[in-house]
Amino acid sequence: MAIDIEKDTRLHWGDVLVIVGYFIIVIIFGIGSSCKNRGSIGGYFLAGRSMHWILIGASLFASNIGSGHFVGLAGSGAASGIGIAVFELNAIFVLMILGWIFVPVYIAAGVFTMPEYLRKRFGGQRIRVYLSCLALILYIFTKISADLFSGALFLTQAMPELNLYVAVIILLIIAALFTIGGGLTAVIWTDFIQTVIMIGGAFVLMILSFIEVGGYEKVIKEFFEAWPNTTRQHYGNPNDNYSYTECGIPPDNSMNLIRSPDDGNLPWPGIMFGLTISSVWYWCSDQVIVQRTLAAKTLSHAKAGTIMAGYLKFLPMWLIVFPGMIARILFPDRIACADPDECEKICQSRAGCTNIAFPTLVLELMPPGLRGLMLAVMMSALISSLTSIFNSSSTIFTIDIWKRFRRNASEVELMIVGRVCVLALVVVSIAWIPIVQEIKELFHYIQAITSYLAPPVCAVYVLAVFWKRTNEPGAFWGLMAGLLVGLIRFAWEYSYPAVPCGDTSGTVKPDIIAKVHYLHFGILLFFISATVTVIVSLLTKPIPDENLYRLTFWSRYETRERIDISPDEDVANADAEPAKSLEFVQEEYDTLPWYKKAFEWVCGIEKMGAVKLTPEQTKALEAKQTSIHESKAWRRVLNINAVILMTLAVFVWGFFA
């Protein structure tokens, strides 16, 4: 049912109005909500630990679903069917692990960041600094780069007259302003608005797409018939020397979530185990994700937020993957092009054009106004992801790195450093744009990088939470062994140039690279790191129990006072100035020139130094923020909902198995 819709895909004035209106609403909500928790480290980085479960769930979903998902999931759907949805369904189970196992430990430990948890758990600084640097590298070269690439791809399709770099720089500046001006409160509130916009706009496009094809059954039937004309012309001709005959044909298992162990894209052992390892790292120890749950009012709100995010994870399969498949049905010559020369003409890439599936569907099917809404959706996805990464990165840099060099830094200094860190990330991201444009198969590239670097971190966190015998030497050398093996595999694999489908002229990869899928390698790497960690831990001195209270899953309810392994590391500005009265601070603020007032407001420090809490009040506040108490009624309701959610996920997985 291939069609060729010829219409004006340029932005209508109605599209521009929708986009402008979206930005005005988001800016008002973001900056307005940020005023609640300004003027403190806890307010800026953890939203004062006052977030409702609805906001937590929406923010978890929005932080994960960036523009890379819209482009990458739809493109993978167009290339090989629904299989890519396993990444979303797997996350449902791991979100429950986050809410029921990891978050209670993090809250009881009273930490701001994940590296800070490891510092309290193991002592010393080398693990904390290593993971902080690793997190910043991963943020810059995978998450930020993927979203920028995807956002730029959509913008170039929608507005070919707009300079790519100008558009990306504008988006980066807006994202940075949100983060610098508001902190986590603004980020979470804008995430909530953007989640509503993303789901609403994508739902409209999904309905229009299914109507255009003729319904679900038509999609299943016609996807397997969506061949490009070049393939149709040469297929089955034994005297034809055409090399790309098999490249434009959808795989036979396109409607299966569970695929054979030797499947080149999604082998089932890798999905069941390797993907779970990477997912535990991402959902349970990655700062961007965990920071949202730590901002919850109570543990019950954090759990409810993970349940809400789990229900939302059913949506990408229908809102993104199936529309990507429909795009191939409607425009097979464009989306499913197999001849590299033809692909280069269509999307300036010889590797294929499946990545333009979602943008093409938006521009061809949606009327003016709604087209602008979907462009706003893509922008909101991009900005949501970037604001989340910027805020979490500034938190890691400020708390885990800067304070190592400036242990007595004042809160004012830390707040300013956090903002400067965001600006630095913007500069690095812009400089990385030319390199990102050259990356092929971006979604699998990111997953491969994760499988080469994340399993050792996952192993250390799992052992740290569940096995109290794990100590600092074991964790450190487990991380180092995993890093070495992972880097060897990464360098070895990418030393061979990518060979397009049908091209037999390239160098053949050795079997250890070509036949060991990156998800299978992730399983192997996890066990290597875990084994080294266990062996070294058993051969070295254990950590005394009094240093581990509320730092493991088994001791999370412990009430005895914990003795920090490195107590001197938690000394924060012992020589700080005494607190001033609120009236004195206001009077002092009123006498400042207007430009200093503006600077202090942007940095959120206009009221800092006013009326600090007494030691008793501070202790009571800390006890409240580290409490993991739940009422029996809420615990029962949350447990039942978690079981229902996972049962539905098993049903969907089994239905499409």
Side-chain angles (χ1 to χ4, degrees), residues 45 87 138 199 236 260 266 286 327 335 375 382 429 460 478 536 539 555-556 585 617 619 645:
F45 292 128
F87 286 87
L138 285 171
I199 293 175
S260 65
L266 300 166
D286 182 68
I335 307 302
L375 183 56
L382 172 62
S429 302
V460 166
V536 176
L539 294 176
S555 66
R556 65 193 186 282
V585 171
Q617 290 173 321
K619 190 173 183 179
L645 172 61

PDB file of all heavy atoms in Angstrom, residues 45 87 138 199 236 260 266 286 327 335 375 382 429 460 478 536 539 555-556 585 617 619 645:
ATOM      1  N   PHE A  45      19.261  20.632  43.955  1.00  0.00           N
ATOM      2  CA  PHE A  45      19.622  19.323  43.418  1.00  0.00           C
ATOM      3  C   PHE A  45      18.590  18.235  43.684  1.00  0.00           C
ATOM      4  O   PHE A  45      18.500  17.277  42.924  1.00  0.00           O
ATOM      5  CB  PHE A  45      20.978  18.881  43.991  1.00  0.00           C
ATOM      6  CG  PHE A  45      22.130  19.723  43.503  1.00  0.00           C
ATOM      7  CD1 PHE A  45      23.018  20.285  44.400  1.00  0.00           C
ATOM      8  CD2 PHE A  45      22.323  19.946  42.150  1.00  0.00           C
ATOM      9  CE1 PHE A  45      24.082  21.054  43.950  1.00  0.00           C
ATOM     10  CE2 PHE A  45      23.388  20.714  41.695  1.00  0.00           C
ATOM     11  CZ  PHE A  45      24.261  21.270  42.602  1.00  0.00           C
ATOM     12  N   PHE A  87      13.199  -3.310  24.841  1.00  0.00           N
ATOM     13  CA  PHE A  87      13.937  -2.390  25.702  1.00  0.00           C
ATOM     14  C   PHE A  87      12.979  -1.647  26.632  1.00  0.00           C
ATOM     15  O   PHE A  87      13.315  -1.364  27.783  1.00  0.00           O
ATOM     16  CB  PHE A  87      14.725  -1.393  24.853  1.00  0.00           C
ATOM     17  CG  PHE A  87      15.937  -1.983  24.206  1.00  0.00           C
ATOM     18  CD1 PHE A  87      15.862  -2.612  22.973  1.00  0.00           C
ATOM     19  CD2 PHE A  87      17.177  -1.918  24.825  1.00  0.00           C
ATOM     20  CE1 PHE A  87      16.975  -3.166  22.375  1.00  0.00           C
ATOM     21  CE2 PHE A  87      18.307  -2.461  24.235  1.00  0.00           C
ATOM     22  CZ  PHE A  87      18.209  -3.089  23.013  1.00  0.00           C
ATOM     23  N   LEU A 138      29.918   9.473  29.804  1.00  0.00           N
ATOM     24  CA  LEU A 138      28.771   8.812  29.184  1.00  0.00           C
ATOM     25  C   LEU A 138      27.678   9.815  28.836  1.00  0.00           C
ATOM     26  O   LEU A 138      27.048   9.722  27.779  1.00  0.00           O
ATOM     27  CB  LEU A 138      28.225   7.732  30.116  1.00  0.00           C
ATOM     28  CG  LEU A 138      29.054   6.452  30.213  1.00  0.00           C
ATOM     29  CD1 LEU A 138      28.538   5.565  31.333  1.00  0.00           C
ATOM     30  CD2 LEU A 138      29.028   5.691  28.891  1.00  0.00           C
ATOM     31  N   ILE A 199       2.938  12.473  24.971  1.00  0.00           N
ATOM     32  CA  ILE A 199       1.959  11.397  24.859  1.00  0.00           C
ATOM     33  C   ILE A 199       0.780  11.836  23.999  1.00  0.00           C
ATOM     34  O   ILE A 199       0.316  11.094  23.120  1.00  0.00           O
ATOM     35  CB  ILE A 199       1.481  10.956  26.254  1.00  0.00           C
ATOM     36  CG1 ILE A 199       2.639  10.302  27.012  1.00  0.00           C
ATOM     37  CG2 ILE A 199       0.306   9.992  26.149  1.00  0.00           C
ATOM     38  CD1 ILE A 199       2.305   9.943  28.447  1.00  0.00           C
ATOM     39  N   GLY A 236      14.956 -12.405  -6.996  1.00  0.00           N
ATOM     40  CA  GLY A 236      14.632 -13.647  -7.699  1.00  0.00           C
ATOM     41  C   GLY A 236      15.227 -13.763  -9.078  1.00  0.00           C
ATOM     42  O   GLY A 236      14.923 -14.721  -9.802  1.00  0.00           O
ATOM     43  N   SER A 260      15.607 -15.805  18.120  1.00  0.00           N
ATOM     44  CA  SER A 260      16.562 -16.905  18.282  1.00  0.00           C
ATOM     45  C   SER A 260      17.858 -16.426  18.928  1.00  0.00           C
ATOM     46  O   SER A 260      18.211 -15.248  18.832  1.00  0.00           O
ATOM     47  CB  SER A 260      16.864 -17.539  16.919  1.00  0.00           C
ATOM     48  OG  SER A 260      17.520 -16.605  16.084  1.00  0.00           O
ATOM     49  N   LEU A 266      18.635  -8.866  18.148  1.00  0.00           N
ATOM     50  CA  LEU A 266      18.024  -9.000  19.468  1.00  0.00           C
ATOM     51  C   LEU A 266      17.925 -10.467  19.885  1.00  0.00           C
ATOM     52  O   LEU A 266      16.833 -11.031  19.981  1.00  0.00           O
ATOM     53  CB  LEU A 266      16.627  -8.362  19.464  1.00  0.00           C
ATOM     54  CG  LEU A 266      16.580  -6.866  19.118  1.00  0.00           C
ATOM     55  CD1 LEU A 266      15.155  -6.438  18.812  1.00  0.00           C
ATOM     56  CD2 LEU A 266      17.162  -6.034  20.253  1.00  0.00           C
ATOM     57  N   ASP A 286      22.039   5.104  37.803  1.00  0.00           N
ATOM     58  CA  ASP A 286      22.369   6.278  36.998  1.00  0.00           C
ATOM     59  C   ASP A 286      21.792   7.526  37.673  1.00  0.00           C
ATOM     60  O   ASP A 286      20.627   7.560  38.047  1.00  0.00           O
ATOM     61  CB  ASP A 286      21.810   6.133  35.589  1.00  0.00           C
ATOM     62  CG  ASP A 286      22.188   7.316  34.716  1.00  0.00           C
ATOM     63  OD1 ASP A 286      23.374   7.480  34.404  1.00  0.00           O
ATOM     64  OD2 ASP A 286      21.291   8.088  34.366  1.00  0.00           O
ATOM     65  N   ALA A 327       5.296   3.910   8.715  1.00  0.00           N
ATOM     66  CA  ALA A 327       6.035   4.790   7.805  1.00  0.00           C
ATOM     67  C   ALA A 327       6.690   3.983   6.689  1.00  0.00           C
ATOM     68  O   ALA A 327       6.721   4.408   5.529  1.00  0.00           O
ATOM     69  CB  ALA A 327       7.095   5.577   8.581  1.00  0.00           C
ATOM     70  N   ILE A 335      11.850   5.092   3.176  1.00  0.00           N
ATOM     71  CA  ILE A 335      12.228   4.594   4.498  1.00  0.00           C
ATOM     72  C   ILE A 335      13.041   3.301   4.401  1.00  0.00           C
ATOM     73  O   ILE A 335      13.986   3.091   5.159  1.00  0.00           O
ATOM     74  CB  ILE A 335      10.978   4.354   5.362  1.00  0.00           C
ATOM     75  CG1 ILE A 335      10.107   5.611   5.406  1.00  0.00           C
ATOM     76  CG2 ILE A 335      11.369   3.922   6.769  1.00  0.00           C
ATOM     77  CD1 ILE A 335      10.815   6.829   5.944  1.00  0.00           C
ATOM     78  N   LEU A 375       6.312  18.898  16.301  1.00  0.00           N
ATOM     79  CA  LEU A 375       7.640  19.497  16.368  1.00  0.00           C
ATOM     80  C   LEU A 375       7.920  19.946  17.799  1.00  0.00           C
ATOM     81  O   LEU A 375       9.033  19.784  18.308  1.00  0.00           O
ATOM     82  CB  LEU A 375       7.741  20.686  15.407  1.00  0.00           C
ATOM     83  CG  LEU A 375       9.115  21.369  15.329  1.00  0.00           C
ATOM     84  CD1 LEU A 375      10.195  20.358  14.960  1.00  0.00           C
ATOM     85  CD2 LEU A 375       9.093  22.510  14.332  1.00  0.00           C
ATOM     86  N   LEU A 382      13.645  16.528  23.450  1.00  0.00           N
ATOM     87  CA  LEU A 382      15.061  16.876  23.442  1.00  0.00           C
ATOM     88  C   LEU A 382      15.419  17.708  24.664  1.00  0.00           C
ATOM     89  O   LEU A 382      16.384  17.414  25.388  1.00  0.00           O
ATOM     90  CB  LEU A 382      15.393  17.643  22.159  1.00  0.00           C
ATOM     91  CG  LEU A 382      16.790  18.260  22.069  1.00  0.00           C
ATOM     92  CD1 LEU A 382      17.854  17.180  22.135  1.00  0.00           C
ATOM     93  CD2 LEU A 382      16.934  19.088  20.800  1.00  0.00           C
ATOM     94  N   SER A 429      29.054  19.997  24.153  1.00  0.00           N
ATOM     95  CA  SER A 429      28.021  19.390  23.319  1.00  0.00           C
ATOM     96  C   SER A 429      27.996  20.008  21.924  1.00  0.00           C
ATOM     97  O   SER A 429      27.866  19.307  20.917  1.00  0.00           O
ATOM     98  CB  SER A 429      26.646  19.546  23.978  1.00  0.00           C
ATOM     99  OG  SER A 429      26.627  18.960  25.250  1.00  0.00           O
ATOM    100  N   VAL A 460      29.111  -3.915  40.818  1.00  0.00           N
ATOM    101  CA  VAL A 460      29.558  -3.319  42.079  1.00  0.00           C
ATOM    102  C   VAL A 460      28.370  -2.820  42.895  1.00  0.00           C
ATOM    103  O   VAL A 460      28.310  -3.014  44.119  1.00  0.00           O
ATOM    104  CB  VAL A 460      30.560  -2.177  41.800  1.00  0.00           C
ATOM    105  CG1 VAL A 460      30.786  -1.329  43.046  1.00  0.00           C
ATOM    106  CG2 VAL A 460      31.889  -2.750  41.314  1.00  0.00           C
ATOM    107  N   GLY A 478      37.399  -4.728  40.818  1.00  0.00           N
ATOM    108  CA  GLY A 478      36.349  -5.246  39.948  1.00  0.00           C
ATOM    109  C   GLY A 478      36.001  -4.257  38.860  1.00  0.00           C
ATOM    110  O   GLY A 478      35.815  -4.626  37.687  1.00  0.00           O
ATOM    111  N   VAL A 536      38.732 -10.461  45.475  1.00  0.00           N
ATOM    112  CA  VAL A 536      39.569  -9.465  46.159  1.00  0.00           C
ATOM    113  C   VAL A 536      38.973  -9.100  47.515  1.00  0.00           C
ATOM    114  O   VAL A 536      39.706  -8.918  48.497  1.00  0.00           O
ATOM    115  CB  VAL A 536      39.739  -8.215  45.278  1.00  0.00           C
ATOM    116  CG1 VAL A 536      40.516  -7.134  46.023  1.00  0.00           C
ATOM    117  CG2 VAL A 536      40.454  -8.571  43.978  1.00  0.00           C
ATOM    118  N   LEU A 539      39.828 -11.681  50.067  1.00  0.00           N
ATOM    119  CA  LEU A 539      41.251 -11.716  50.391  1.00  0.00           C
ATOM    120  C   LEU A 539      41.706 -10.500  51.177  1.00  0.00           C
ATOM    121  O   LEU A 539      42.869 -10.429  51.602  1.00  0.00           O
ATOM    122  CB  LEU A 539      42.074 -11.833  49.104  1.00  0.00           C
ATOM    123  CG  LEU A 539      41.922 -13.143  48.312  1.00  0.00           C
ATOM    124  CD1 LEU A 539      42.716 -13.068  47.013  1.00  0.00           C
ATOM    125  CD2 LEU A 539      42.368 -14.339  49.156  1.00  0.00           C
ATOM    126  N   SER A 555      20.275  -3.950  56.088  1.00  0.00           N
ATOM    127  CA  SER A 555      20.403  -3.085  57.273  1.00  0.00           C
ATOM    128  C   SER A 555      19.693  -1.747  57.090  1.00  0.00           C
ATOM    129  O   SER A 555      19.957  -0.796  57.819  1.00  0.00           O
ATOM    130  CB  SER A 555      21.887  -2.833  57.575  1.00  0.00           C
ATOM    131  OG  SER A 555      22.486  -2.079  56.536  1.00  0.00           O
ATOM    132  N   ARG A 556      18.768  -1.681  56.120  1.00  0.00           N
ATOM    133  CA  ARG A 556      18.148  -0.392  55.799  1.00  0.00           C
ATOM    134  C   ARG A 556      17.283   0.142  56.944  1.00  0.00           C
ATOM    135  O   ARG A 556      17.064   1.358  57.037  1.00  0.00           O
ATOM    136  CB  ARG A 556      17.325  -0.498  54.510  1.00  0.00           C
ATOM    137  CG  ARG A 556      16.119  -1.428  54.581  1.00  0.00           C
ATOM    138  CD  ARG A 556      15.597  -1.700  53.168  1.00  0.00           C
ATOM    139  NE  ARG A 556      14.355  -2.477  53.153  1.00  0.00           N
ATOM    140  CZ  ARG A 556      14.289  -3.796  53.329  1.00  0.00           C
ATOM    141  NH1 ARG A 556      15.412  -4.477  53.544  1.00  0.00           N
ATOM    142  NH2 ARG A 556      13.131  -4.419  53.285  1.00  0.00           N
ATOM    143  N   VAL A 585      19.144  39.924  55.929  1.00  0.00           N
ATOM    144  CA  VAL A 585      19.484  39.474  54.583  1.00  0.00           C
ATOM    145  C   VAL A 585      18.666  40.237  53.543  1.00  0.00           C
ATOM    146  O   VAL A 585      19.180  40.660  52.510  1.00  0.00           O
ATOM    147  CB  VAL A 585      19.245  37.960  54.448  1.00  0.00           C
ATOM    148  CG1 VAL A 585      19.381  37.516  52.996  1.00  0.00           C
ATOM    149  CG2 VAL A 585      20.251  37.212  55.300  1.00  0.00           C
ATOM    150  N   GLN A 617      16.835  21.049  65.065  1.00  0.00           N
ATOM    151  CA  GLN A 617      15.977  21.110  63.883  1.00  0.00           C
ATOM    152  C   GLN A 617      16.624  20.400  62.697  1.00  0.00           C
ATOM    153  O   GLN A 617      15.952  19.720  61.922  1.00  0.00           O
ATOM    154  CB  GLN A 617      15.682  22.571  63.528  1.00  0.00           C
ATOM    155  CG  GLN A 617      14.776  23.277  64.518  1.00  0.00           C
ATOM    156  CD  GLN A 617      14.655  24.761  64.217  1.00  0.00           C
ATOM    157  OE1 GLN A 617      15.628  25.405  63.836  1.00  0.00           O
ATOM    158  NE2 GLN A 617      13.450  25.304  64.387  1.00  0.00           N
ATOM    159  N   LYS A 619      18.737  17.903  62.837  1.00  0.00           N
ATOM    160  CA  LYS A 619      18.667  16.461  63.076  1.00  0.00           C
ATOM    161  C   LYS A 619      17.272  15.922  62.785  1.00  0.00           C
ATOM    162  O   LYS A 619      17.112  14.848  62.188  1.00  0.00           O
ATOM    163  CB  LYS A 619      19.064  16.164  64.522  1.00  0.00           C
ATOM    164  CG  LYS A 619      19.253  14.683  64.821  1.00  0.00           C
ATOM    165  CD  LYS A 619      19.817  14.475  66.214  1.00  0.00           C
ATOM    166  CE  LYS A 619      20.064  12.993  66.479  1.00  0.00           C
ATOM    167  NZ  LYS A 619      20.636  12.768  67.828  1.00  0.00           N
ATOM    168  N   LEU A 645       1.056  -4.597  37.458  1.00  0.00           N
ATOM    169  CA  LEU A 645       1.868  -4.028  36.379  1.00  0.00           C
ATOM    170  C   LEU A 645       2.762  -5.085  35.744  1.00  0.00           C
ATOM    171  O   LEU A 645       2.817  -5.213  34.508  1.00  0.00           O
ATOM    172  CB  LEU A 645       2.718  -2.881  36.945  1.00  0.00           C
ATOM    173  CG  LEU A 645       3.776  -2.284  36.011  1.00  0.00           C
ATOM    174  CD1 LEU A 645       3.132  -1.690  34.769  1.00  0.00           C
ATOM    175  CD2 LEU A 645       4.600  -1.229  36.747  1.00  0.00           C
TER     176      LEU A 645
END
